Short mmCIF file of all heavy atoms in Angstrom, two decimals:
data_model
loop_
_atom_site.label_atom_id
_atom_site.label_comp_id
_atom_site.label_asym_id
_atom_site.label_seq_id
_atom_site.Cartn_x
_atom_site.Cartn_y
_atom_site.Cartn_z
N ASN A 1 -169.26 -4.58 34.79
CA ASN A 1 -169.34 -5.47 35.95
C ASN A 1 -170.35 -4.98 36.96
O ASN A 1 -171.11 -5.76 37.55
CB ASN A 1 -167.96 -5.61 36.61
CG ASN A 1 -166.98 -6.39 35.76
OD1 ASN A 1 -167.39 -7.16 34.90
ND2 ASN A 1 -165.70 -6.19 35.99
N ILE A 2 -170.36 -3.66 37.20
CA ILE A 2 -171.31 -3.07 38.14
C ILE A 2 -172.74 -3.30 37.66
O ILE A 2 -173.62 -3.70 38.43
CB ILE A 2 -171.03 -1.57 38.32
CG1 ILE A 2 -169.68 -1.35 39.01
CG2 ILE A 2 -172.15 -0.90 39.12
CD1 ILE A 2 -169.25 0.08 39.09
N LEU A 3 -172.98 -3.07 36.38
CA LEU A 3 -174.31 -3.25 35.81
C LEU A 3 -174.75 -4.71 35.90
O LEU A 3 -175.88 -5.01 36.28
CB LEU A 3 -174.32 -2.78 34.35
CG LEU A 3 -175.68 -2.82 33.63
CD1 LEU A 3 -176.70 -1.99 34.37
CD2 LEU A 3 -175.52 -2.33 32.19
N ARG A 4 -173.84 -5.63 35.59
CA ARG A 4 -174.15 -7.06 35.67
C ARG A 4 -174.51 -7.45 37.10
O ARG A 4 -175.47 -8.19 37.33
CB ARG A 4 -172.96 -7.88 35.19
CG ARG A 4 -173.22 -9.39 35.18
CD ARG A 4 -171.96 -10.14 34.85
NE ARG A 4 -170.93 -9.90 35.85
CZ ARG A 4 -169.63 -9.71 35.57
NH1 ARG A 4 -169.22 -9.73 34.31
NH2 ARG A 4 -168.76 -9.50 36.52
N ASN A 5 -173.77 -6.95 38.07
CA ASN A 5 -174.04 -7.29 39.47
C ASN A 5 -175.36 -6.69 39.93
O ASN A 5 -176.07 -7.30 40.74
CB ASN A 5 -172.89 -6.79 40.36
CG ASN A 5 -171.62 -7.59 40.17
OD1 ASN A 5 -171.68 -8.75 39.76
ND2 ASN A 5 -170.49 -6.99 40.47
N GLN A 6 -175.69 -5.51 39.44
CA GLN A 6 -176.98 -4.91 39.78
C GLN A 6 -178.13 -5.73 39.22
O GLN A 6 -179.15 -5.95 39.89
CB GLN A 6 -177.04 -3.47 39.24
CG GLN A 6 -176.15 -2.50 40.00
CD GLN A 6 -176.13 -1.11 39.37
OE1 GLN A 6 -176.44 -0.95 38.18
NE2 GLN A 6 -175.74 -0.12 40.14
N VAL A 7 -177.97 -6.19 37.99
CA VAL A 7 -178.99 -7.05 37.37
C VAL A 7 -179.10 -8.36 38.13
O VAL A 7 -180.20 -8.87 38.38
CB VAL A 7 -178.65 -7.31 35.89
CG1 VAL A 7 -179.61 -8.33 35.29
CG2 VAL A 7 -178.69 -6.02 35.08
N LYS A 8 -177.96 -8.92 38.54
CA LYS A 8 -177.94 -10.16 39.30
C LYS A 8 -178.70 -10.00 40.61
O LYS A 8 -179.52 -10.86 40.98
CB LYS A 8 -176.49 -10.58 39.58
CG LYS A 8 -176.33 -11.88 40.34
CD LYS A 8 -174.86 -12.20 40.52
CE LYS A 8 -174.64 -13.40 41.40
NZ LYS A 8 -173.20 -13.69 41.61
N SER A 9 -178.48 -8.89 41.32
CA SER A 9 -179.19 -8.64 42.57
C SER A 9 -180.69 -8.50 42.34
O SER A 9 -181.51 -9.00 43.12
CB SER A 9 -178.65 -7.37 43.24
OG SER A 9 -177.30 -7.53 43.61
N TYR A 10 -181.05 -7.84 41.25
CA TYR A 10 -182.47 -7.69 40.91
C TYR A 10 -183.11 -9.05 40.64
O TYR A 10 -184.21 -9.33 41.13
CB TYR A 10 -182.60 -6.78 39.68
CG TYR A 10 -184.03 -6.68 39.16
CD1 TYR A 10 -184.93 -5.78 39.73
CD2 TYR A 10 -184.46 -7.47 38.10
CE1 TYR A 10 -186.22 -5.69 39.26
CE2 TYR A 10 -185.75 -7.39 37.63
CZ TYR A 10 -186.63 -6.49 38.21
OH TYR A 10 -187.92 -6.41 37.73
N LEU A 11 -182.41 -9.88 39.88
CA LEU A 11 -182.95 -11.20 39.54
C LEU A 11 -183.12 -12.07 40.79
O LEU A 11 -184.12 -12.76 40.94
CB LEU A 11 -182.03 -11.90 38.54
CG LEU A 11 -182.01 -11.30 37.13
CD1 LEU A 11 -180.89 -11.91 36.31
CD2 LEU A 11 -183.34 -11.50 36.43
N LEU A 12 -182.14 -12.01 41.68
CA LEU A 12 -182.24 -12.76 42.93
C LEU A 12 -183.45 -12.31 43.74
O LEU A 12 -184.18 -13.12 44.31
CB LEU A 12 -180.96 -12.58 43.76
CG LEU A 12 -179.73 -13.32 43.25
CD1 LEU A 12 -178.48 -12.88 44.02
CD2 LEU A 12 -179.90 -14.83 43.37
N GLY A 13 -183.66 -11.00 43.78
CA GLY A 13 -184.83 -10.47 44.49
C GLY A 13 -186.13 -10.93 43.87
O GLY A 13 -187.09 -11.28 44.58
N GLN A 14 -186.19 -10.95 42.54
CA GLN A 14 -187.39 -11.39 41.85
C GLN A 14 -187.69 -12.87 42.11
O GLN A 14 -188.84 -13.27 42.29
CB GLN A 14 -187.24 -11.17 40.34
CG GLN A 14 -187.23 -9.70 39.92
CD GLN A 14 -188.56 -9.02 40.20
OE1 GLN A 14 -188.69 -8.29 41.19
NE2 GLN A 14 -189.54 -9.23 39.36
N ILE A 15 -186.63 -13.68 42.16
CA ILE A 15 -186.81 -15.11 42.44
C ILE A 15 -187.28 -15.30 43.88
O ILE A 15 -188.19 -16.09 44.16
CB ILE A 15 -185.51 -15.89 42.17
CG1 ILE A 15 -185.14 -15.81 40.69
CG2 ILE A 15 -185.66 -17.34 42.60
CD1 ILE A 15 -183.77 -16.36 40.37
N GLN A 16 -186.66 -14.58 44.81
CA GLN A 16 -187.02 -14.70 46.22
C GLN A 16 -188.47 -14.29 46.47
O GLN A 16 -189.15 -14.85 47.34
CB GLN A 16 -186.08 -13.85 47.07
CG GLN A 16 -184.68 -14.44 47.16
CD GLN A 16 -183.69 -13.52 47.85
OE1 GLN A 16 -183.85 -12.31 47.83
NE2 GLN A 16 -182.67 -14.09 48.45
N LYS A 17 -188.96 -13.31 45.72
CA LYS A 17 -190.34 -12.84 45.88
C LYS A 17 -191.35 -13.68 45.10
O LYS A 17 -192.54 -13.47 45.19
CB LYS A 17 -190.45 -11.37 45.45
CG LYS A 17 -189.74 -10.41 46.38
CD LYS A 17 -189.99 -8.97 46.02
CE LYS A 17 -189.36 -8.60 44.71
NZ LYS A 17 -189.47 -7.15 44.40
N GLY A 18 -190.83 -14.65 44.32
CA GLY A 18 -191.72 -15.51 43.55
C GLY A 18 -192.14 -14.93 42.23
O GLY A 18 -193.00 -15.50 41.53
N GLU A 19 -191.55 -13.80 41.83
CA GLU A 19 -191.90 -13.19 40.55
C GLU A 19 -191.36 -14.02 39.38
O GLU A 19 -191.94 -14.02 38.30
CB GLU A 19 -191.34 -11.76 40.48
CG GLU A 19 -191.89 -10.81 41.53
CD GLU A 19 -193.37 -10.55 41.36
OE1 GLU A 19 -193.86 -10.61 40.21
OE2 GLU A 19 -194.05 -10.30 42.38
N LEU A 20 -190.22 -14.68 39.61
CA LEU A 20 -189.67 -15.62 38.63
C LEU A 20 -189.89 -17.01 39.21
O LEU A 20 -189.19 -17.43 40.13
CB LEU A 20 -188.18 -15.34 38.40
CG LEU A 20 -187.83 -13.98 37.80
CD1 LEU A 20 -186.32 -13.80 37.71
CD2 LEU A 20 -188.46 -13.81 36.42
N GLU A 21 -190.84 -17.74 38.68
CA GLU A 21 -191.27 -19.00 39.30
C GLU A 21 -190.38 -20.17 38.90
O GLU A 21 -189.82 -20.21 37.80
CB GLU A 21 -192.72 -19.29 38.89
CG GLU A 21 -193.71 -18.24 39.38
CD GLU A 21 -195.13 -18.56 38.95
OE1 GLU A 21 -195.40 -19.73 38.64
OE2 GLU A 21 -195.97 -17.65 38.94
N VAL A 22 -190.28 -21.13 39.82
CA VAL A 22 -189.50 -22.34 39.59
C VAL A 22 -190.05 -23.10 38.39
O VAL A 22 -191.26 -23.32 38.27
CB VAL A 22 -189.53 -23.25 40.84
CG1 VAL A 22 -188.89 -24.61 40.52
CG2 VAL A 22 -188.81 -22.58 41.99
N GLY A 23 -189.16 -23.50 37.46
CA GLY A 23 -189.54 -24.31 36.32
C GLY A 23 -190.04 -23.54 35.11
O GLY A 23 -190.18 -24.12 34.04
N LYS A 24 -190.29 -22.23 35.26
CA LYS A 24 -190.78 -21.44 34.13
C LYS A 24 -189.64 -20.71 33.45
O LYS A 24 -188.69 -20.27 34.10
CB LYS A 24 -191.84 -20.45 34.60
CG LYS A 24 -193.15 -21.12 35.00
CD LYS A 24 -194.27 -20.10 35.13
CE LYS A 24 -195.60 -20.79 35.41
NZ LYS A 24 -196.71 -19.82 35.53
N THR A 25 -189.74 -20.58 32.13
CA THR A 25 -188.70 -19.92 31.35
C THR A 25 -188.64 -18.43 31.68
O THR A 25 -189.66 -17.76 31.80
CB THR A 25 -188.96 -20.10 29.85
OG1 THR A 25 -189.02 -21.50 29.55
CG2 THR A 25 -187.84 -19.46 29.03
N ILE A 26 -187.41 -17.92 31.86
CA ILE A 26 -187.20 -16.51 32.14
C ILE A 26 -187.23 -15.73 30.83
O ILE A 26 -186.46 -16.02 29.91
CB ILE A 26 -185.87 -16.30 32.87
CG1 ILE A 26 -185.91 -17.02 34.23
CG2 ILE A 26 -185.57 -14.82 33.05
CD1 ILE A 26 -184.58 -17.01 34.96
N ASN A 27 -188.11 -14.77 30.73
CA ASN A 27 -188.29 -13.96 29.53
C ASN A 27 -187.27 -12.82 29.52
O ASN A 27 -187.45 -11.82 30.23
CB ASN A 27 -189.72 -13.43 29.47
CG ASN A 27 -190.03 -12.76 28.15
OD1 ASN A 27 -189.20 -12.07 27.57
ND2 ASN A 27 -191.26 -12.94 27.69
N LEU A 28 -186.21 -12.96 28.73
CA LEU A 28 -185.15 -11.96 28.71
C LEU A 28 -185.64 -10.61 28.18
O LEU A 28 -185.27 -9.55 28.71
CB LEU A 28 -183.97 -12.45 27.85
CG LEU A 28 -182.89 -13.24 28.58
CD1 LEU A 28 -183.45 -14.55 29.12
CD2 LEU A 28 -181.68 -13.51 27.69
N ALA A 29 -186.47 -10.64 27.15
CA ALA A 29 -186.97 -9.39 26.57
C ALA A 29 -187.82 -8.62 27.57
O ALA A 29 -187.73 -7.40 27.70
CB ALA A 29 -187.76 -9.67 25.31
N LEU A 30 -188.67 -9.34 28.31
CA LEU A 30 -189.51 -8.71 29.32
C LEU A 30 -188.66 -8.13 30.45
O LEU A 30 -188.91 -7.01 30.92
CB LEU A 30 -190.50 -9.72 29.88
CG LEU A 30 -191.46 -9.21 30.97
CD1 LEU A 30 -192.31 -8.05 30.44
CD2 LEU A 30 -192.35 -10.34 31.47
N LEU A 31 -187.65 -8.88 30.88
CA LEU A 31 -186.75 -8.39 31.92
C LEU A 31 -186.03 -7.13 31.45
O LEU A 31 -185.86 -6.17 32.21
CB LEU A 31 -185.72 -9.46 32.29
CG LEU A 31 -186.17 -10.54 33.27
CD1 LEU A 31 -185.07 -11.59 33.43
CD2 LEU A 31 -186.50 -9.93 34.62
#
């Protein structure tokens, strides 16, 4: 659960910074 929440916070940060762009597929392997 801790690891999942840490990943969730990281993903939110990436979206907020525009690193994960709206409408584009999220590359799980790259993440």
Side-chain angles (χ1 to χ4, degrees):
N1 290 338
I2 293 174
L3 184 57
R4 182 187 62 220
N5 289 336
Q6 289 175 338
V7 173
K8 181 179 174 181
S9 296
Y10 174 83
L11 290 170
L12 287 171
Q14 291 295 101
I15 296 171
Q16 288 173 333
K17 290 187 293 186
E19 298 295 330
L20 297 176
E21 298 180 20
V22 171
K24 290 194 175 181
T25 303
I26 297 173
N27 188 322
L28 270 65
L30 180 60
L31 278 175

